[in-house]
Amino acid sequence: MPTEIRRIVFSIAETLDAISDYNKLPQNNAKLPPGTIDGCVVKDEPDGIVRLDIRDADGQHHDHILPHATVGAALLRYCRTTKIPLPKRGQKSLQVVGDNVALYIEIRTDRKPNVDATKA
């Protein structure tokens, strides 16, 4: 059974754009705390994949870790809004590539080959 693997790598700037746009959605329950994003580190940790350094109105810095599901949803939405084609089916996951986030899509075909191995 053949498998197709696709990898889309997002820069820090694209990842922050995706997170910012996703944060503005009214139905989003994972709102970022108010403030300015001063830094972003991509690191695959058990509690999340993106760590933001957010400076509040008083100048205090706070770490905010975004879970895989939130970053994944933001990146999928970013792909739709920027017209990056994505397959509907396929197992999607996030991985760290250098300092960036990559969306991996694995598609397995369920078809059996039409070749009879005894006649080949």
Side-chain angles (χ1 to χ4, degrees), residues 32-37 54-57:
L32 294 176
T36 304
I37 297 174
I54 299 178
R55 181 174 30 91
D56 64 19

Side-chain angles (χ1 to χ4, degrees), residues 50-108:
V50 172
R51 181 182 296 267
L52 300 175
D53 175 19
I54 299 178
R55 181 174 30 91
D56 64 19
D58 297 329
Q60 299 293 318
H61 289 265
H62 306 277
D63 270 353
H64 187 78
I65 299 172
L66 295 173
H68 293 77
T70 300
V71 175
L75 292 176
L76 289 173
R77 184 175 188 282
Y78 180 83
C79 287
R80 279 194 301 275
T81 59
T82 57
K83 308 286 191 246
I84 298 171
L86 293 175
K88 289 182 183 180
R89 63 185 179 97
Q91 183 173 350
K92 297 167 181 75
S93 62
L94 298 178
Q95 293 184 1
V96 176
V97 177
D99 293 335
N100 303 310
V101 178
L103 174 63
Y104 276 80
I105 305 162
E106 184 176 334
I107 303 168
R108 295 180 182 261

